[in-house]
Amino acid sequence: VGDAVGQSGMVVGATGSRLITARTSTCDYCGRGYPTKRCVGCSVAVYCDSRCLKAHRKVHGKVCHALAKEVSEAARCAEKLKA
């Protein structure tokens, strides 16, 4: 999936966002493996270092808030299913 959110992971919905629980193996900016940083706004985007996080900020910032809302809604739905 080549969208503004990232190049790897589980893809859901029309926005191309990945589920928070999806394990990713590549940086959302450069595509290299083993990311160690995660976006604090949405917790969806992952990066291999602070340079990639900063470089991708302009692109990711456009979808970050929407992703955070989507993740929050998914968590609420999961809680309802548990009940």
Side-chain angles (χ1 to χ4, degrees), residues 38-79:
R38 186 174 292 274
C39 173
V40 297
C42 67
S43 297
V44 175
V46 292
Y47 303 100
C48 58
D49 57 34
S50 295
R51 289 178 299 165
C52 286
L53 186 149
K54 289 176 185 175
H56 197 233
R57 190 173 288 154
K58 285 185 181 179
V59 173
H60 177 67
K62 296 175 183 176
V63 297
C64 184
H65 183 70
L67 288 174
K69 287 175 66 176
E70 202 171 303
V71 167
S72 180
E73 178 62 28
R76 279 195 299 273
C77 289
E79 285 299 317

Side-chain angles (χ1 to χ4, degrees), residues 4-52:
V5 176
Q7 299 295 321
S8 64
M10 188 184 322
V11 177
V12 295
T15 64
S17 61
R18 290 173 297 143
L19 289 172
I20 189 72
T21 57
R23 297 296 296 163
T24 57
S25 59
T26 60
C27 173
D28 283 325
Y29 180 71
C30 71
R32 287 182 278 169
Y34 307 107
T36 60
K37 303 283 184 192
R38 186 174 292 274
C39 173
V40 297
C42 67
S43 297
V44 175
V46 292
Y47 303 100
C48 58
D49 57 34
S50 295
R51 289 178 299 165
C52 286

